[in-house]
Amino acid sequence: MSLGVAYASSKLDLGGGTSFTFKSWTVDANYEQKFGVFVPKVELGYVYTDGDDLPLKDSNGNTGKLDKVKTYYISLGVLYDQKLFLGKVGAYIKNQKTKAELNNPDGSVEPSVWTVAIPYYLADQNAKVVLQWNHYDYDVNGMDPRNSNDDTNDDITLAFQVQF
């Protein structure tokens, strides 16, 4: 079991004396328990960001201001704790919901993401390959930057990670 708490602050300088300071904090909990060769895992998290009234354009081209962003997520997974060829294989499913509150007529946008992934750990987190499918639901028709007639999108990613 692990618990995490973090705080971050960053400044975006747009020049001409215009700048915005974002402040974020997050809490998360992670629990995993080994049962023979299977290691189930549950992760819960919350992230809050103060948008500092950053100017944004909405889906209709109107300029509004980003007030705050709240994100919740849950992830359920399992690791098969025996070597299969060069490494260990796992699987997880994750759901993430976000509410971006805007100071404009649209009020808020509530995108969500479903993720299904199969990680293959060659050297724990130091070397891994992950095959991942994401389903995005942007909550507002036309918010998908790749398709102005839809509010959903799917993608498949093959990622490689090596840490030294």
Side-chain angles (χ1 to χ4, degrees):
M1 172 89 173
S2 64
L3 299 172
V5 177
Y7 175 82
S9 178
S10 64
K11 186 175 182 179
L12 174 63
D13 189 356
L14 299 179
T18 305
S19 66
F20 299 90
T21 302
F22 303 97
K23 297 174 182 144
S24 283
W25 61 269
T26 182
V27 294
D28 65 6
N30 182 18
Y31 179 77
E32 54 186 55
Q33 178 69 48
K34 187 171 183 172
F35 294 101
V37 296
F38 293 100
V39 184
K41 175 181 178 175
V42 176
E43 184 177 8
L44 304 166
Y46 174 77
V47 182
Y48 175 87
T49 302
D50 178 349
D52 196 27
D53 290 329
L54 175 70
L56 299 173
K57 288 194 176 181
D58 66 13
S59 60
N60 299 318
N62 301 320
T63 301
K65 295 181 178 181
L66 180 62
D67 182 25
K68 58 188 155 225
V69 180
K70 300 173 186 174
T71 301
Y72 305 86
Y73 63 89
I74 182 169
S75 177
L76 303 171
V78 66
L79 171 70
Y80 181 69
D81 198 19
Q82 292 288 316
K83 275 201 168 187
L84 293 174
F85 188 53
L86 297 174
K88 298 177 182 179
V89 69
Y92 67 87
I93 185 168
K94 179 179 180 180
N95 182 248
Q96 176 177 306
K97 295 186 181 279
T98 300
K99 183 174 184 179
E101 296 181 18
L102 311 172
N103 291 326
N104 66 346
D106 283 348
S108 67
V109 178
E110 298 183 24
S112 64
V113 180
W114 278 98
T115 300
V116 176
I118 300 172
Y120 186 67
Y121 302 96
L122 298 166
D124 297 319
Q125 293 292 339
N126 292 324
K128 67 180 177 180
V129 178
V130 181
L131 178 62
Q132 181 170 305
W133 168 77
N134 294 309
H135 173 76
Y136 304 91
D137 185 345
Y138 294 95
D139 183 50
V140 175
N141 204 23
M143 285 298 287
D144 180 351
R146 295 172 273 192
N147 184 349
S148 62
N149 298 318
D150 197 0
D151 67 347
T152 63
N153 184 50
D154 295 281
D155 65 30
I156 295 175
T157 305
L158 183 61
F160 303 90
Q161 175 177 310
V162 177
Q163 297 181 148
F164 299 97

